[in-house]
Amino acid sequence: MTQIPVIPPDLRDKTTVYAADFGFSPANEDNAPALARAIEHCRETDAGILRLAPGVYRIKNTDFLTIRDRENFALDGCGAELISETSYFFMVQNCRQVLLENLTLDVDWNILRPASLARVISREDFDLELEFLDDDHPSLDFDICSFNPFDPIWLTPGVPGDPEIWVHPEEFSVLGRGEADNRIRLRCTAKGVETIRPGAFYLVRHLRQRRGAAFFVQDSRHITLQNNCVYSTWGMTHMVNGQSSHILFDGEIIRIRPGSRRHISTDGDGIHIIRSQGYLQIQNCDFSGMGDDDVNIHDCNMLILRRLGSHTLLLENEGAGDPGDRLELLNKDFSPSGVSLTLRAVTQQEDGRYCLEIEEELPDWIEEGHLLLNRHYASDHFVIRNNYFHDHRARGLLLQTKEGLVENNLFRRTQGAGIYIMLETLRGLWYEGTGAGQLVIRNNRLEECNCGGWSTAVDMMATLPDNTSGYTPFSDIRLENNTIRVTQLPAAWLGCCDGVTFTGNALEAPPTEEMPAVVCERCRNENLSGNRFCGVPLAEDAVRRTQDVRERNRLQQYSDFVY
């Protein structure tokens, strides 16, 4: 599939409503009530278009401005800029054929600063002095969630060999100011603080809990988000879940506010798709500066702790689904068990853990480490083309579903992999992926990706309760005619795939005797022909084939980052 059919709103014979008629004005301290009134009026009268007007408008709503139960509706920002004190912008709920366009969104950094750029003046054991470079007189009342290493030249995320340092509240305290107003002395006992060295640059992250989003699409179909610009949020930028499908992101921009002293745009992902019905198109977008990945498309796996009875399972992570959903029971290595189950109910215990009530009698061999997939969700069928993803923390694309096309994109200076095909069951963190497959990744350019030394510029990895078997959860993945220019090898890691084609790609990197250009780990039916390395055909000895899961730890020097 090379094009996702997203139907735009049919606005013929529809009336136009102007938000200004409901009191929406730059002079207001809070425009959320006026905007909510205008949105509700459009719903009650079936108006087709709600127009804002150019200007800067403050909003203070503590929940999303929700467009619900609409069909054939457009909200045209007309260049309006909304500045939020809470980071809750727009939700589209239970809608069909809705368009949101021409909005600029930002949060008020005077209310809450999500991050600060700092240079290390000194460190003695656990005592540090930091010079804050984007605030001449920073408050002493602040928190530190993490230290993210920044390149001293580009002032963007990622320094090979410098790990991210994650700080618990009890591991940090402010000691006072240094010799200048923008210098602060503090004590930090977090793991990894011993790696901090004078002269290094870090983005000091302050947010411990994300909140809100710029756009949240829930249980909606044929939704278009077009030509919007987001400077900052305290959560994700775009989120999609539930019964949502046929979503178009066209010309969306995420960037650090021009002329500001900021060094982060949005705190979370650019686009986060979780438990949806798929059919997604992302095109002509420009994402940079985020505190996390560009695009994450996934459904979730559920990790079984134990069988509580003949019809009840206790889970390690969140249970999700509705009565009647079909569940597939998997072995610990993600291979099919051949057992299909029907969900009766999801319940939550007093300790917060989730239980699943199952219609059928459960096999008595189920034990800790077995997995479940809810097959009601299928975030499959996507096209990602003609985008620019660059200069931000974490990874570019996280591809964890099936039937996808990724073409003609430019990736530059992502901290981790530019393209990451993944399946991860990480206890206490996340349980993402249902087995990627039928992917075509072609004609992309990746420049200096993995600049933080997390993995490789193109990466494929499955982390499961049992990684020792030969089962390959990925299938039929084609990487063709891509240009991959990196500063360290390997350039690509192909793992856990049955039917991987890596052909016609041009790899550019400083050659080393110790590191292969490409690693092929636990793959079957692979085709690695027609590639070039530094202008000449990729030699067979530049490819390392292995069946050993431990090979990754041996080759990758900087693999100890922790969320």
Side-chain angles (χ1 to χ4, degrees):
M1 180 176 290
T2 60
Q3 190 75 19
I4 302 299
V6 178
I7 304 172
D10 183 355
L11 302 175
R12 293 173 295 180
D13 303 321
K14 292 282 190 177
T15 59
T16 298
V17 171
Y18 295 90
D21 293 338
F22 295 83
F24 188 71
S25 167
N28 296 338
E29 291 186 3
D30 181 10
N31 280 282
L35 188 50
R37 287 194 299 270
I39 291 171
E40 181 60 18
H41 174 80
C42 290
R43 188 184 70 84
E44 291 175 348
T45 61
D46 197 30
I49 305 172
L50 174 60
R51 293 194 191 281
L52 310 188
V56 178
Y57 304 84
R58 298 188 67 83
I59 56 175
K60 300 181 180 182
N61 47 297
T62 57
D63 202 350
F64 287 103
L65 294 162
T66 301
I67 300 166
R68 60 167 56 87
D69 304 327
R70 294 303 319 274
E71 186 169 354
N72 296 314
F73 174 72
L75 190 158
D76 186 348
C78 299
E81 178 177 342
L82 305 185
I83 298 181
S84 173
E85 294 187 5
T86 66
S87 193
Y88 287 92
F89 291 97
F90 293 98
M91 174 179 281
V92 179
Q93 187 177 59
N94 193 32
C95 292
R96 181 180 175 89
Q97 290 173 243
V98 166
L99 164 67
L100 280 74
E101 63 177 347
N102 303 324
L103 291 156
T104 297
L105 308 179
D106 199 358
V107 292
D108 187 344
W109 276 47
N110 293 319
I111 300 295
L112 178 60
R113 172 183 287 268
S116 304
L117 183 67
R119 183 170 66 93
V120 180
I121 299 299
S122 64
R123 181 185 66 81
E124 294 183 9
D125 296 328
F126 300 115
D127 291 350
L128 294 86
E129 182 172 346
L130 303 181
E131 178 185 20
F132 286 80
L133 303 177
D134 49 13
D135 191 345
D136 295 331
H137 190 84
S139 169
L140 295 179
D141 182 17
F142 67 96
D143 195 4
I144 294 181
C145 171
S146 65
F147 292 88
N148 297 169
F150 257 41
D151 184 279
I153 297 175
W154 294 103
L155 292 182
T156 55
V159 178
D162 285 1
E164 294 189 330
I165 299 166
W166 294 84
V167 184
H168 296 290
E170 67 276 8
E171 296 174 329
F172 156 75
S173 60
V174 174
L175 302 178
R177 292 200 187 276
E179 294 181 357
D181 284 349
N182 67 335
R183 292 188 181 185
I184 294 178
R185 295 178 295 108
L186 57 93
R187 178 164 296 150
C188 181
T189 59
K191 178 183 177 183
V193 73
E194 66 278 1
T195 66
I196 293 177
R197 64 187 186 281
F201 290 80
Y202 287 90
L203 189 68
V204 179
R205 303 277 291 272
H206 305 309
L207 284 182
R208 289 202 177 273
Q209 186 170 3
R210 289 173 177 164
R211 66 188 78 170
F215 302 100
F216 188 0
V217 178
Q218 187 176 66
D219 298 330
S220 298
R221 302 189 175 211
H222 296 282
I223 307 301
T224 300
L225 299 168
Q226 179 174 284
N227 298 330
N228 300 295
C229 179
V230 182
Y231 292 140
S232 191
T233 67
W234 298 328
M236 301 294 183
T237 314
H238 306 83
M239 290 186 66
V240 176
N241 77 353
Q243 302 303 309
S244 299
S245 72
H246 298 83
I247 314 296
L248 172 62
F249 305 87
D250 188 5
E252 296 288 274
I253 295 173
I254 304 170
R255 61 180 300 193
I256 294 169
R257 187 179 188 93
S260 71
R261 298 171 70 183
R262 304 174 184 180
H263 291 86
I264 188 172
S265 56
T266 61
D267 193 75
D269 296 346
I271 298 175
H272 193 97
I273 314 291
I274 176 172
R275 297 193 187 106
S276 79
Q277 300 302 312
Y279 293 93
L280 315 157
Q281 182 139 339
I282 303 167
Q283 63 186 29
N284 308 318
C285 297
D286 184 339
F287 291 177
S288 63
M290 299 89 64
D292 218 328
D293 311 305
D294 281 302
V295 178
N296 186 351
I297 302 175
H298 71 94
D299 299 315
C300 296
N301 54 75
M302 294 177 277
L303 178 62
I304 295 173
L305 275 182
R306 59 181 175 274
R307 179 180 182 270
L308 295 182
S310 58
H311 293 270
T312 306
L313 294 170
L314 178 65
L315 301 181
E316 165 75 19
N317 57 317
E318 179 184 2
D322 296 309
D325 286 356
R326 182 175 69 87
L327 309 179
E328 182 180 356
L329 179 63
L330 303 179
N331 295 314
K332 299 176 185 181
D333 63 356
F334 222 73
S335 62
S337 72
V339 175
S340 181
L341 304 170
T342 306
L343 181 62
R344 178 187 296 166
V346 179
T347 60
Q348 194 170 10
Q349 298 188 143
E350 290 184 1
D351 63 0
R353 293 200 183 278
Y354 286 80
C355 290
L356 301 185
E357 301 294 332
I358 305 298
E359 292 286 357
E360 298 85 0
E361 184 170 347
L362 294 165
D364 57 9
W365 45 262
I366 293 178
E367 62 181 11
E368 181 175 347
H370 283 101
L371 297 153
L372 286 168
L373 301 181
N374 187 331
R375 288 304 188 184
H376 172 74
Y377 303 108
S379 298
D380 303 327
H381 306 283
F382 59 85
V383 174
I384 304 174
R385 65 158 61 100
N386 300 330
N387 302 287
Y388 183 25
F389 302 122
H390 60 107
D391 298 294
H392 62 82
R393 181 186 171 274
R395 290 73 55 96
L397 307 183
L398 274 57
L399 308 178
Q400 309 189 59
T401 56
K402 298 185 185 330
E403 300 287 349
L405 171 63
V406 178
E407 64 177 1
N408 302 324
N409 301 286
L410 173 59
F411 303 81
R412 178 174 287 142
R413 287 191 298 273
T414 56
Q415 184 179 15
I419 297 174
Y420 186 22
I421 299 162
M422 61 172 276
L423 169 61
E424 292 185 342
T425 300
L426 296 176
R427 286 189 160 179
L429 294 174
W430 50 81
Y431 307 77
E432 296 182 3
T434 51
Q438 295 76 61
L439 305 182
V440 176
I441 301 167
R442 66 190 182 197
N443 303 325
N444 301 284
R445 186 171 183 87
L446 296 92
E447 298 183 350
E448 299 181 55
C449 291
N450 188 43
C451 63
W454 279 16
S455 58
T456 53
V458 174
D459 198 3
M460 298 167 57
M461 182 172 69
T463 303
L464 295 162
D466 178 9
N467 268 334
T468 62
S469 83
Y471 182 71
T472 52
F474 305 140
S475 62
D476 188 16
I477 295 175
R478 305 180 65 86
L479 297 110
E480 304 170 337
N481 303 320
N482 302 287
T483 298
I484 307 172
R485 184 169 65 86
V486 296
T487 58
Q488 57 184 358
L489 294 175
W493 194 292
L494 314 175
C496 310
C497 187
D498 185 359
V500 58
T501 299
F502 188 82
T503 183
N505 300 289
L507 312 180
E508 303 173 19
T512 65
E513 295 182 0
E514 298 81 10
M515 290 292 185
V518 178
V519 176
C520 197
E521 174 209 341
R522 293 183 294 160
C523 288
R524 296 185 296 173
N525 301 311
E526 68 268 19
N527 174 12
L528 276 67
S529 63
N531 300 292
R532 299 182 71 80
F533 179 41
C534 296
V536 300
L538 180 66
E540 182 61 30
D541 62 5
V543 178
R544 182 169 300 179
R545 291 177 168 84
T546 179
Q547 297 299 314
D548 189 348
V549 68
R550 296 170 297 179
E551 188 75 6
R552 181 177 289 266
N553 290 334
R554 282 197 290 266
L555 284 182
Q556 291 183 349
Q557 184 176 357
Y558 316 119
S559 59
D560 58 348
F561 81 94
V562 177
Y563 275 80

